[in-house]
Structures are given as C-alpha cells and as structure tokens.
Amino acid sequence: MKLRRVLVVAATVAAAVVIAPQPALAIPSGTGWSGSWKYTGGTSIQVTLDVPGAKLVANGWDALGVRAFVLNVSDTMADGKCAYVKWTAAATTEHWACGNGTTVQVTGLPTSTNAITAVLCRDSTAHNNKTNCNVIDVPSSYTDDFIRTEGNGARWHYYDASEHYDGGEDWGAWITIGKVDLDYFGWDDTPAGQRWIESWLGLHGPVCGSGLILNATPASSVSACSQYQPLYGLPDTHITGTAWGQACTWSYSDPAAPKHCIKLRVPQPS
C-alpha cells in the first residue's frame, strides 16, 4: 500500500495549496509498463524494463566506471510476437526472445564507459513490426564516480488495478541520488492530451539538492540545502509527452562543489 505523502516545507519555501486532479476514468493504458536501474552494491548494478508480454533484466558489474552486462530477454505472452531489445552502450546491439516463457541470455557484450540506453519492445516474428516500446537511460559512472554509490538509481511504473494509492495517480517515478530523493506522480490525459504532475523533493541532510520537472508548464523546480529531513513540494504542473524528472545533489559544506545529477523519463505507452 502506497502511504500518503506528508509535506514539510522550510520557512524559506512558500507552502503551496495542492489540489489533486480527478483520477482517470479507466485503468491506465500503461498497466504493466515499468523501468528501473539501481546500484545494488559498490560494483553491481541492475537494469529492468517491462511491457505487457516482454521483460528485460540486465545485471552488470562496474569496475571504476567500466561496466559489463549480462542481458536476460523474456517473451512472457502467447500472442505470436517476440520480445525485442535494443541495447546501446559501447555499440548498439539487438536481441530477441520468441515464444511464451522463452528467455534468451545474452553474454559477451563489450565493456563500456558510456551512458547506457535500453529499449524494450514487442515485435513480430519477422522482426519488422516493433510496438509498445519502453526505454530507460543509465548515466555513465566513468565521468562521475558518485553515480556508483550504492542505492543510487531511478525507477517508475504504472499502477495496476490491485494497487492502493492516495490520489488516484496513473503512475509513479522515483529518483535517488545520494541523500536526495525526487518523487513525482502523474495523471494521464488530465486534461486530454496532457499529463498532470505532482512532485516532492526529500533532503536527508546535511545535503544540498534540487528537483526539476523538465518541459513543464508552468515551470516546476525547487533547490535547497538542509541539515535535517524536510520534504519540499514542487509546483504542480502539466506536461505533454514524456515526463522527464531530474534530481541533483551537492555538498552542504561546500555549495560551490560539483553537482551530481540523475534524469529519468517516463514515456507514454504506445
């Protein structure tokens, strides 16, 4: 059960009156869609993607920013289609699993210091009709070693009919970067063709952090430093298309120190 969020706003940030939009009239069309990546240890990372009928689980090892992965691509639906993955790291490779319950394990991929983009789709057995494509991005830890901190990561998923949540949201997204958390939640087609976003920035100090909803109308961001554990409410906003969130952290004792940032995109189901 998703707990009701409690808003605590520091004196330097004006409290906002939050009026939740009406819930969608039907179960979200994105039920079964999700994506995530997370450092589960100092040198281990896992990436996942789901769409109805297909799943990707990629387990990786990170040696000072040089990463290697083993992919598991699964076809989970008996509909005559295949699971398709496009994996972009040192190079772009494509992989399929065809047949309900079939999992193909992909090894021997080249190591990479680059950021990673993974795309998961359903595809025809002729590999010429890709639909229901989902995507996740994983930043490079070679260019920013702070990314390798255990617990850092990002995830999102559409809620299904069995889940209980306080505002009737269609989906939720969460970014963790050090002691900073950005949580954002969306209602699709509110109004028609747009997505309504509520978002919250948690600082588990002493730390400085910021949260931003990109391409938002109106703009939605907050930046603060704290020695305790406040939760800041970002202005509610609307977006069209992909819901991009960004969380950053930097030193409380040295505000001029470099920032470390993570972006997460929540695509619209297709």
Side-chain angles (χ1 to χ4, degrees), residues 96 123-130:
W96 288 264
D123 198 2
S124 67
T125 54
H127 300 168
N128 63 359
N129 186 23
K130 298 173 182 62

Side-chain angles (χ1 to χ4, degrees), residues 185-205:
F185 305 86
W187 293 257
D188 286 348
D189 292 322
T190 308
Q194 295 189 49
R195 305 169 101 178
W196 174 284
I197 306 292
E198 285 185 6
S199 48
W200 314 90
L201 179 71
L203 302 181
H204 309 286

